[in-house]
């Protein structure tokens, strides 16, 4: 029978830190990915790419404002849970004379969505601890 003493004996393997800031089993930060899906759950999804970190919604019409619709694109740019690893872009249209017309999106809108996603991602990470 061979002895494994030469291989370092019986060392304990380090346990994986499931709450690490860069959980990357899907190509991007898993907390940001999950938080984005949770946050955008109100809108139909048009495209999701977990390897590239892109989530695109289809047009969403708020029942309280039927003459306005919004489409969101969220890009997760890093494997780490960081504020600069997230970018939200939005398109907005208003209904005028039966036609959807491009309309400006306030910068505060995309910033608020980013804040919501980041807060949710941090909460998910905290729960994993």
């Amino acid at each position: 029978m061979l002895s494994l003493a030469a291989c370092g004996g019986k060392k304990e393997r380090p346990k994986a830190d499931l709450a690490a800031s860069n959980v990357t089993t899907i190509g991007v930060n898993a907390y940001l990915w999950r938080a984005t899906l949770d946050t955008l759950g109100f809108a139909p999804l048009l495209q999701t790419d977990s390897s590239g970190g892109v989530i695109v919604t289809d047009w969403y019409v708020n029942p309280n404002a039927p003459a306005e619709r919004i489409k969101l694109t969220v890009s997760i740019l890093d494997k780490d849970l960081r504020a600069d690893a997230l970018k939200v872009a939005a398109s907005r249209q208003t209904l005028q004379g039966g036609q959807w017309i491009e309309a400006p999106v306030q910068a505060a809108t995309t910033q608020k969505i980013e804040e919501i996603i980041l807060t949710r991602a941090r909460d998910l990470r905290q729960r994993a601890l």
Side-chain angles (χ1 to χ4, degrees):
M1 196 171 262
L2 294 173
S3 173
L4 296 177
C7 294
K10 196 174 181 183
K11 288 186 180 177
E12 287 192 32
R13 297 178 76 186
K15 293 181 181 177
D17 179 6
L18 295 178
S21 65
N22 62 353
V23 176
T24 58
T25 58
I26 58 172
V28 296
N29 184 275
Y31 300 119
L32 286 173
W33 182 259
R34 180 78 252 160
T36 300
L37 290 174
D38 290 351
T39 302
L40 300 182
F42 65 89
L45 297 180
L46 188 62
Q47 174 189 353
T48 59
D49 176 8
S50 62
S51 297
V54 177
I55 298 173
V56 181
T57 70
D58 203 351
W59 289 104
Y60 170 74
V61 177
N62 183 337
N64 297 326
E68 180 180 337
R69 67 183 186 176
I70 191 166
K71 184 175 190 174
L72 299 165
T73 300
V74 177
S75 301
I76 300 170
L77 308 170
D78 201 326
K79 293 181 179 186
D80 289 327
L81 176 51
R82 303 178 348 185
D84 63 350
L86 185 69
K87 181 175 187 266
V88 175
S91 298
R92 180 175 163 258
Q93 293 180 341
T94 57
L95 190 59
Q96 297 176 6
Q99 296 285 325
W100 289 105
I101 307 297
E102 293 296 321
V105 177
Q106 293 180 348
T109 301
T110 56
Q111 289 172 346
K112 183 65 176 172
I113 294 169
E114 285 178 4
E115 289 172 14
I116 292 167
I117 293 170
L118 287 167
T119 299
R120 175 75 177 134
R122 290 179 187 122
D123 289 346
L124 291 170
R125 181 173 180 251
Q126 189 66 22
R127 287 185 195 152
L129 291 173

